[in-house]
Structures are given as C-alpha cells and as structure tokens.
Amino acid sequence: MTEPQRRFTISVPPDVSQILESQGNRMASAYVTESVRRRRRVEQHKELLLAAGIHVSEQGVAEARARRLGVEAAWSAERFEAERAKIRAEMEAEMNGDDTAPRADAA
C-alpha cells in the first residue's frame, strides 16, 4: 500500500519557477519528486564514498573532470561512447540487482 501524498507550499526563485511552470500543473510535482530523489542518491553516494575513506572535494572533482576531458580529447567519439555505454549498462544492471552483467573493466 502506498503512503498518502503530502502537499507543500514552497517559494522558489524565478528561474526554478519557469522550469516548474513549463512542466504543467500535474507534472511539476513529478519533476520536483524526481529532482529530490536524484539529489538524495548523490548524497547517499557521497556518504558511501566517505564511509570507504574517500573524501570528495571540489578540487578532486575538478581534477577528475580535467582527466575526463583529456580522455575525451584523446579518444575518438566512437570509442568514448562505446566505453560510456558499457559503464552505463553495468551501473544499471547493478542498480537493478543483476550481477550477471559483464563488467566494464573486463577486457
């Protein structure tokens, strides 16, 4: 049985208001719900990393971004997209509890 939904009245800045208004009356709630759930998944991921002794800093994120951009520049678009697709498939399989999917790091 699903829990009853709750209603909130919130104030948002104009740029967020435009986005929500563009979703239509019934879809704005779904948009906010998905946004909050995505944000929570990011927070949970950071908590897991921290529990494993990995501290995510702004500098670390910037360095990782620079390495990624270097790879993108060195690899062909096809190679980069093939690797991205493999990683995405592995992540989705893991999220769905499928441990039989091939690992992205397996050659």
Side-chain angles (χ1 to χ4, degrees):
M1 182 174 187
T2 61
E3 295 183 32
Q5 294 188 1
R6 303 214 18 222
R7 180 177 293 270
F8 288 88
T9 301
I10 60 172
S11 298
V12 296
D15 60 322
V16 174
S17 175
Q18 281 183 315
I19 294 168
L20 293 175
E21 288 169 351
S22 74
Q23 301 301 308
N25 289 339
R26 298 201 184 270
M27 296 307 295
S29 291
Y31 189 91
V32 170
T33 298
E34 179 60 23
S35 297
V36 169
R37 286 180 175 156
R38 283 180 189 231
R39 174 74 180 260
R40 183 62 190 137
R41 284 193 300 268
V42 168
E43 291 168 354
Q44 288 172 329
H45 182 72
K46 287 181 180 179
E47 290 168 6
L48 287 171
L49 291 173
L50 193 56
I54 302 168
H55 178 71
V56 178
S57 66
E58 288 185 35
Q59 178 182 351
V61 170
E63 290 170 359
R65 182 176 295 118
R67 286 192 304 272
R68 180 181 56 84
L69 292 173
V71 167
E72 286 181 26
W75 286 5
S76 68
E78 294 81 16
R79 180 178 179 192
F80 186 80
E81 286 306 318
E83 291 299 319
R84 177 180 274 176
K86 284 194 291 187
I87 292 167
R88 182 174 288 128
E90 181 181 332
M91 290 173 65
E92 288 175 356
E94 185 176 323
M95 286 174 45
N96 293 326
D98 179 6
D99 59 357
T100 61
R103 300 224 3 119
D105 57 359

